[in-house]
Each structure stands twice: as structure tokens, then as C-alpha cells.
Amino acid sequence: MVLQNQLGSVSLSATATIPELQQSKTAVLNTLASRHSRRSYEYAIDRLIAWYCSEPRLEFNRSVVVRYRSFLECLSLSVATINLHLSAIRRLADESTEGGWLSPELAIGIRRVKGVKRLGRKMGNWLTRNEAQELVNAASKTILRGWRDGAMVGLLLGCGLRRSEVVGLNLDQLQSREGHSVIVNLIGKGARIRTVPVPWWAKELVDAWLRHSGVSDGKVFRQVLKGGSYPKIL
């Protein structure tokens, strides 16, 4: 019940923000090239501001950030989520110093707030090799949509791509380097460009889709009409 009341107070006070923090938040977001990072940092900073405004007469310093870390731990958030929030707060402190309303000493103190230690092992439903194979095999090999879905699952599992990366993949990004298939010029977080190797079995699934669909340029994966005969070029 106490935890629910805390969550309720954060939600109700979300609009009672402090102008300086909002300005610093904008400055932080402007330094981030990745839209994924901007979305995560904006959420983390907005949550801090909501909590900060719900507490009376607090100064933005190390002790407040320590208290906020304890508050996040009470919410039973994952270690990765809490540490991401703290990373956003450190960036907020730096931009607040650049803005001239937070002293460098206070910013240094905030940056020294340690994150939560990772204990144990990752949790979740991780596919075994056989389960991953069953998932790939589940895609139909008799209709066009099945060939497409099998190729997409193959790249998700074999290359570790995000869904948006698979959907936006262009045919000219599939190349051969020193006898190995790779995906080039993938733009990830922080606008970093990377090259991803493609295992042979995933490449065979992609080749099968291209052969059956007749796709020869542009995006690799297309919307398939409900009838299942021809891809719709977007």
C-alpha cells in the first residue's frame, strides 16, 4: 500500500517540474544521436523530476540522488533499469553545471553515486539451440509469407538484429566479405555504424525468400498480400 501511494504521488506531481531541470533535460536530449537513447533518457529524467517535485524543499545533490536510487530499488526495477536511470541523472547534472545553476562540486558528488551491482545471472526465457531451430522450422515452406517469416526469424536469431533493423534492411547491405556473408552499414545506438556477420543457415533462408519473392532491389522484406502470391512493394 505504501508503495502504491508513492507511485501515485509521482504520477500526480509529474507536471510540477522545475524550469532549470527541464532546460537541462532538453540539453541532455540534444546531445544524444540515437532515438532509442533519447526515449530512455527522457523517460528516466521525467521520472526523476516527478519524484523530485513530490518531495518538499530538496536540493539537487548527492544525498538526493542516493535517496532516489533507494526509491527505484523499492519499485523492484531491474538492475539494468536502475543503472540506466542513474546514467541519465549524471548527464543531467553535467548539463546543469554547463547551464550555470549547479556548482561543479555538486555535479561531481552526483556523478560519484554508484550504480546497483549486478548479482546472479540474467533471467528470462532464453531459447536453447533446439528451440531456436524449432522456431525457424515453424515457418511454412509452402507459401510466400512463410519464406519471408523464416528469413526474418533467421536474421533476428542468427545476427541479433533489432526488429526495426530487419524491417529496414536493404538488399545492398547484404554483401560478401572475404567469403563470408555480412550486413554492412547498420546504424545503431549513438549513430554507430557496424558490420554484422550472417551465419550460413540464415543466409540460406534469406536467399530462399529472395528467390521465391523475386525481390531484386530496395528493401529485403516486403508486405505480402493476404492471398500469398505477390509481395506488395512499399
Side-chain angles (χ1 to χ4, degrees):
M1 181 62 70
V2 174
L3 181 56
Q4 290 178 348
N5 291 337
Q6 286 179 313
L7 286 171
S9 64
V10 169
S11 179
L12 291 174
S13 63
T15 58
T17 57
I18 296 177
E20 293 85 357
L21 284 174
Q22 287 286 9
Q23 293 173 7
S24 298
K25 182 190 81 171
T26 301
V28 170
L29 299 181
N30 288 338
T31 64
L32 301 173
S34 169
R35 61 185 179 90
H36 301 289
S37 297
R38 286 197 298 271
R39 183 177 64 248
S40 299
Y41 273 51
E42 183 175 17
Y43 175 76
I45 295 174
D46 283 343
R47 199 166 188 176
L48 167 71
I49 294 175
W51 174 87
Y52 185 81
C53 293
S54 70
E55 299 290 326
R57 296 184 299 276
L58 287 179
E59 294 184 5
F60 189 48
N61 54 28
R62 182 180 184 278
S63 62
V64 167
V65 176
V66 170
R67 284 177 56 182
Y68 184 64
R69 183 187 63 186
S70 299
F71 170 74
L72 294 176
E73 291 174 345
C74 290
L75 300 182
S76 299
L77 300 176
S78 69
V79 171
T81 298
I82 294 175
N83 288 338
L84 185 146
H85 279 245
L86 294 176
S87 178
I89 293 171
R90 295 185 189 104
R91 294 285 289 270
L92 184 69
D94 289 341
E95 293 300 332
S96 298
T97 300
E98 292 293 330
W101 68 270
L102 185 70
S103 69
E105 292 77 13
L106 291 177
I108 291 174
I110 291 172
R111 290 192 63 84
R112 288 178 177 172
V113 176
K114 294 183 178 180
V116 181
K117 290 184 178 180
R118 294 178 180 269
L119 300 176
R121 63 180 62 184
K122 291 183 178 180
M123 303 297 292
N125 297 322
W126 294 81
L127 296 178
T128 65
R129 183 173 182 176
N130 290 336
E131 289 171 338
Q133 185 65 59
E134 291 176 2
L135 181 61
V136 172
N137 293 339
S140 173
K141 302 300 188 297
T142 59
I143 60 176
L144 193 58
R145 185 173 295 179
W147 291 110
R148 182 201 62 185
D149 293 348
M152 295 180 77
V153 171
L155 292 182
L156 289 169
L157 294 177
C159 304
L161 301 185
R162 300 182 180 90
R163 288 176 295 178
S164 60
E165 292 174 334
V166 172
V167 172
L169 186 65
N170 285 312
L171 198 60
D172 59 4
Q173 291 180 272
L174 289 172
Q175 299 183 10
S176 178
R177 300 282 177 86
E178 298 181 357
H180 299 283
S181 298
V182 296
I183 299 174
V184 301
N185 298 330
L186 273 178
I187 301 177
K189 295 181 65 175
R192 296 182 180 88
I193 300 177
R194 70 186 196 279
T195 299
V196 179
V198 181
W200 64 267
W201 57 268
K203 183 61 166 57
E204 288 186 351
L205 291 172
V206 174
D207 288 342
W209 153 251
L210 295 176
R211 186 169 59 254
H212 286 83
S213 66
V215 172
S216 59
D217 60 2
K219 286 189 175 182
V220 174
F221 299 109
R222 316 292 176 86
Q223 180 180 352
V224 177
L225 297 178
K226 192 172 183 180
S229 297
Y230 302 98
K232 180 180 179 181
I233 307 300
L234 300 179

